[in-house]
Amino acid sequence: MKRIALYLLSVFALLCAAVPTAVAAPGDGLPAPFAERFRAVQHGGFARAANAVITCGTAAADGAPDCADAQAGGTARSGQYAMAYIDTDDDANTYNSSSAELRLPPGSRVSYARLYWSANIRVGELKPSADNGRILLAEPGGRYKEVLADSPVGQRDSGEDSVFSASADVTALVRSSRPGAWTVGQINTAGGHSPEGGWGGWTLVVAYENPDEPLRELVLWDGLETLGQGRELSLAADGLDVPAGADGRLGLVAGGGDRGVDGDQVTVRVPGGPTTPLADAANPAGDVLNGTVSDLGDPRTARTPAYAHTLGYDADVLDISHALTDGADGLGVGLGGGRDRYHLGAVFLQAAVRS
């Protein structure tokens, strides 16, 4: 009898193992709630390099602006085009790639570096998700190295799009590299046309120490949150001690934001103070997530290609100095939106504090 029982248990186990893994239904996905990834108080700040790996191709909707005009900064949506891959490297084995310079002040030491990549894999084509957690990364003057996500890859499938966000710790590589342009290739992203539009890109976020810079609180959060259309996210950095005249910056990494579709708003607030909407020359109030890789209002950062409009990928650094008040012991960050829907992958904050 024991042998029969063992045999039946073995058969049952084999049958269970043969059942295929369920495919996520529309609206399902792998959860990746926002959480604090890195925090430090040090003389220094954050630096970042970023770019998109897909751009507009041929027009696929009536009224779509010329692609070159859209790339130069014109109002357009990725859903108006058949999206085409950017491939700037000289490697015939890659189908997408782009580069951007990482600029650290002289005398800096890298404390922490994390690479983020994200994309929509359901556009005119549907890419399998097996490669979401893998990319190729080349340091300045170096060759590609395979990088694998070291945290669960967040993914959300609405039935109209399927987006993911992945990341990996690359501190050792960045710390040992020379200055210059970083190249990222083979992000799992889909081309073609759909009303939701295709997008994909990468951002390298680096915390650095530098004795010549002010003492600052540095905070990095990440995850995957779909915001807009009534969905909002609040983040809080507590335990600050902000002096008079403090400087501060807020960085955002997101995909899927459309230019000219009003409603997406980013705000900051110190305890007891007013809520301050953020905006600059590249990111107007009410349309902050608008397809830009920008530094303090300048969308033409040092990258190849340097399109002023990425058509769906955002990696922005915004000034928050005007919202900081003397003695503030915390800062709240609010992200939301109206009609526009976007997918947030990372937020980083730096604010000067008292020693």
Side-chain angles (χ1 to χ4, degrees), residues 141-290:
R143 296 184 176 183
Y144 276 134
K145 297 176 177 64
E146 182 183 62
V147 175
L148 302 178
D150 60 10
S151 297
V153 177
Q155 184 169 357
R156 298 184 185 276
D157 192 331
S158 70
E160 298 176 345
D161 60 5
S162 182
V163 304
F164 76 89
S165 181
S167 68
D169 184 337
V170 291
T171 304
L173 182 59
V174 177
R175 189 175 286 165
S176 64
S177 71
R178 68 191 194 191
W182 290 77
T183 302
V184 175
Q186 294 302 85
I187 294 177
N188 193 32
T189 187
H193 173 258
S194 75
E196 286 293 317
W199 56 269
W202 59 274
T203 301
L204 176 60
V205 179
V206 178
Y208 66 88
E209 295 178 83
N210 190 301
D212 296 328
E213 297 209 359
L215 186 69
R216 294 187 175 109
E217 186 102 25
L218 309 179
V219 189
L220 170 64
W221 298 271
D222 60 27
L224 177 61
E225 291 286 349
T226 299
L227 304 175
Q229 299 179 344
R231 296 190 63 175
E232 300 179 348
L233 176 68
S234 296
L235 301 170
D238 300 320
L240 306 181
D241 187 6
V242 176
D247 67 271
R249 295 181 180 182
L250 185 74
L252 307 171
V253 179
D258 283 323
R259 181 165 300 196
V261 180
D262 294 336
D264 50 283
Q265 189 176 56
V266 182
T267 63
V268 294
R269 182 179 182 273
V270 299
T275 297
T276 304
L278 299 183
D280 57 30
N283 306 280
D287 193 17
V288 176
L289 285 308
N290 63 349

Side-chain angles (χ1 to χ4, degrees), residues 104-122:
L104 299 176
S108 298
R109 177 186 181 276
V110 173
S111 304
Y112 183 75
R114 194 158 193 90
L115 180 66
Y116 295 91
W117 64 96
S118 57
N120 178 12
I121 61 173
R122 182 192 294 273

